[in-house]
């Protein structure tokens, strides 16, 4: 009688749960039934054949998540490029007016304007290089190209017997040159949204350096925005100015557009602003030379701001391309891993079938 009760209890406990046989690489579902409480719970357990299929499946999930992150970073960079182009367009009216007034005053004064300190060239014994890099990475070769160009220009001036020091804008350039012991006069971060306040602090340091005689020329190294797939590390002389270049220098603006999910850049060349005409009988409240001398720092501030904005736009465009390339590579890797996962699953199924057939033949 006791033996019969043990058999009945064992059968009852066996029927208390059911197991659904999973496919290879899937999860099995075990349902535990509590008849007394009329409730159940579901537990998922991973069935691992050789561990390879599950490992590949987890890697596919990781790669797809990475692709989502890189695509999001690309869209964020695109939004910031639009913000940068709006900032350039907002400063354009002031630059045009400044250029027009400067050209008119130069035409009115003639050779008298050439005696201003910022327009006077002197013997170059020391040069200050202003280098603009980014604060962040993940933007391809944007930072490394400009750092290499700055190093090359530094070595070129040193070989010519000219003393050189640096004004560094951007954390990447600051970290690189300070670790290698380069002479650094000023180091400031480069924000993703440069404004006139930041440009003013840099231009004041440049003016003080030149007017005090600590440097005979100021050169600017920055990345010129060409398109979304190309940028050009450039170098230009900031100080001393040339009156002809200021009054005749043209400009160009860019606009980021999208078509069918693809980003494009439309460029528009703008000619130089026409010099403002001042009648000969016009009486100036201040000396025109003083007016001209006060315009030049404003022009320098505008040029610094424009180069900062263009460098940021180049950095964001480089980041867009890097994130697009990373997304494409993640998609290709996910496809290859899916093929590898399918092969592993098929191999596991084939192995099971062979084992079943072998077992059946062994029983015959």
């Amino acid at each position: 009688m006791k033996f019969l009760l043990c058999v009945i209890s064992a059968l009852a406990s066996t029927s208390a749960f059911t197991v659904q046989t999973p496919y290879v690489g899937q999860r099995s579902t075990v349902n535990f039934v509590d008849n007394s409480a009329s409730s159940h719970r579901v537990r998922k357990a991973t069935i691992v054949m050789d561990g390879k299929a599950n490992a590949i499946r987890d890697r596919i999930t990781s790669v797809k998540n990475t692709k989502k992150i890189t695509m999001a970073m690309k869209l964020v960079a695109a939004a910031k490029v639009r913000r940068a182009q709006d900032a350039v367009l907002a400063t354009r009216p002031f630059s045009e007016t400044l250029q027009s007034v400067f050209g008119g005053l130069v035409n009115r004064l003639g050779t008298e304007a050439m005696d201003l300190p910022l327009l006077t060239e002197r013997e170059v014994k020391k040069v200050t290089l202003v280098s603009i890099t980014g604060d962040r990475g993940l933007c391809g070769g944007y930072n490394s190209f400009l750092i290499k160009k700055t190093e090359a220009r530094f070595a070129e001036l040193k070989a010519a017997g000219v003393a050189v020091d640096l004004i560094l804008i951007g954390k990447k350039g600051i970290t690189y040159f300070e670790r290698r012991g380069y002479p650094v006069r000023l180091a400031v971060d480069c924000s993703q949204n440069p404004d006139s306040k930041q440009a003013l602090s840099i231009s004041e340091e440049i003016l003080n350096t030149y007017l005090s005689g600590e440097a005979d020329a100021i050169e600017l190294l920055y990345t010129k925005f060409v398109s979304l797939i190309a940028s050009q590390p450039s170098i230009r002389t900031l100080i001393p100015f040339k009156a002809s270049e200021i009054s005749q220098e043209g400009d160009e603006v860019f606009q980021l557009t999208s078509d069918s999910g693809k980003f494009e850049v439309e460029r528009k060349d703008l000619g130089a602003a026409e010099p403002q005409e001042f009648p000969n009988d016009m009486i100036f409240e201040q000396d025109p030379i003083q007016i001209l001398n006060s315009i030049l720092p404003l022009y320098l501030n505008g040029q610094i701001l424009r180069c900062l904005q263009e460098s940021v736009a180049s950095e964001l465009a480089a980041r867009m391309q890097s994130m697009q390339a990373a997304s494409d590579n993640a998609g290709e890797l996910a496809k290859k891993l899916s093929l590898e996962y399918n092969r592993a699953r098929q191999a596991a199924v084939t192995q099971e079938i062979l084992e079943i057939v072998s077992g059946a033949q062994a029983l015959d």
Side-chain angles (χ1 to χ4, degrees):
M1 187 65 179
K2 291 182 180 180
F3 176 76
L4 182 59
L5 290 175
C6 292
V7 173
I8 293 173
S9 61
L11 291 174
S13 61
T14 303
S15 60
F17 63 90
T18 59
V19 180
Q20 182 180 357
T21 304
Y23 296 103
V24 178
Q26 293 183 341
R27 295 181 179 274
S28 63
T29 302
V30 182
N31 297 328
F32 293 90
V33 181
D34 187 1
N35 294 327
S36 60
S38 299
S39 63
H40 68 278
R41 64 187 179 90
V42 178
R43 180 177 66 86
K44 292 182 179 289
T46 302
I47 302 299
V48 181
M49 300 304 298
D50 56 357
K52 184 177 181 180
N54 289 333
I56 296 174
R57 183 184 58 198
D58 293 341
R59 192 178 177 194
I60 291 173
T61 302
S62 176
V63 169
K64 288 182 177 180
N65 291 336
T66 302
K67 182 179 179 180
K68 292 179 182 178
I69 294 173
T70 54
M71 285 301 296
M73 293 180 67
K74 175 191 173 182
L75 296 177
V76 170
K80 290 183 178 180
V81 168
R82 283 198 173 95
R83 185 189 307 167
Q85 79 184 17
D86 292 340
V88 171
L89 294 175
T91 59
R92 180 61 191 166
F94 176 77
S95 301
E96 288 181 343
T97 303
L98 199 65
Q99 187 180 34
S100 176
V101 173
F102 182 87
L105 288 174
V106 168
N107 293 338
R108 173 74 179 270
L109 296 174
T111 57
E112 295 182 20
M114 304 306 170
D115 296 332
L116 295 175
L118 295 178
L119 297 177
T120 303
E121 294 186 6
R122 35 188 210 230
E123 183 182 359
V124 178
K125 297 181 179 179
K126 185 174 182 180
V127 175
T128 297
L129 299 180
V130 182
S131 179
I132 303 177
T133 58
D135 285 347
R136 303 175 183 177
L138 297 177
C139 52
Y142 168 79
N143 292 312
S144 61
F145 289 158
L146 197 70
I147 287 174
K148 289 179 180 178
K149 192 171 186 66
T150 304
E151 275 189 317
R153 182 58 178 165
F154 188 96
E156 181 182 354
L157 292 172
K158 278 291 187 181
V162 179
V164 190
D165 59 4
L166 300 174
I167 294 179
L168 302 176
I169 306 171
K171 292 181 180 179
K172 292 297 182 179
I174 294 172
T175 302
Y176 182 88
F177 289 107
E178 285 186 345
R179 285 182 177 177
R180 287 159 178 79
Y182 282 80
V184 178
R185 175 179 295 274
L186 176 67
V188 295
D189 295 343
C190 181
S191 65
Q192 294 289 299
N193 188 22
D195 53 14
S196 58
K197 184 178 180 181
Q198 181 183 10
L200 180 61
S201 63
I202 298 171
S203 61
E204 285 179 349
E205 178 65 25
I206 292 174
L207 286 174
N208 294 334
T209 301
Y210 183 79
L211 295 177
S212 63
E214 297 180 20
D216 301 311
I218 309 294
E219 295 183 357
L220 174 66
L221 295 98
Y222 71 107
T223 305
K224 184 177 181 180
F225 182 82
V226 179
S227 66
L228 289 178
I229 60 175
S231 57
Q232 180 181 353
S234 303
I235 182 171
R236 58 177 294 186
T237 300
L238 276 180
I239 302 177
F241 295 117
K242 293 184 178 179
S244 59
E245 291 183 358
I246 296 177
S247 58
Q248 299 176 6
E249 184 179 13
D251 199 1
E252 59 182 3
V253 295
F254 60 91
Q255 185 175 6
L256 181 65
T257 60
S258 59
D259 184 15
S260 301
K262 296 182 179 179
F263 294 101
E264 297 179 355
V265 171
E266 296 179 357
R267 304 183 67 88
K268 184 179 180 181
D269 293 329
L270 302 175
E274 292 293 332
Q276 186 171 345
E277 295 183 2
F278 297 105
N280 293 329
D281 58 350
M282 177 179 287
I283 300 175
F284 292 92
E285 184 176 348
Q286 290 181 328
D287 186 2
I289 295 292
Q290 295 180 358
I291 298 176
L292 196 61
N293 196 31
S294 62
I295 286 178
L296 290 176
L298 294 177
Y299 176 78
L300 175 62
N301 189 26
Q303 290 298 302
I304 294 292
L305 178 59
R306 177 60 187 270
C307 291
L308 286 173
Q309 292 170 341
E310 197 161 352
S311 296
V312 169
S314 300
E315 178 187 358
L316 294 172
R319 183 168 291 114
M320 286 178 61
Q321 293 303 313
S322 297
M323 294 301 100
Q324 181 62 52
S327 300
D328 294 341
N329 292 337
E332 292 295 328
L333 182 58
K335 290 181 181 178
K336 293 180 181 179
L337 290 174
S338 297
L339 291 175
E340 188 176 352
Y341 172 74
N342 291 333
R343 291 193 186 100
R345 186 176 61 178
Q346 291 171 0
V349 172
T350 303
Q351 181 65 27
E352 284 189 356
I353 294 174
L354 290 176
E355 291 176 355
I356 293 172
V357 172
S358 300
Q361 291 179 352
L363 293 177
D364 292 341

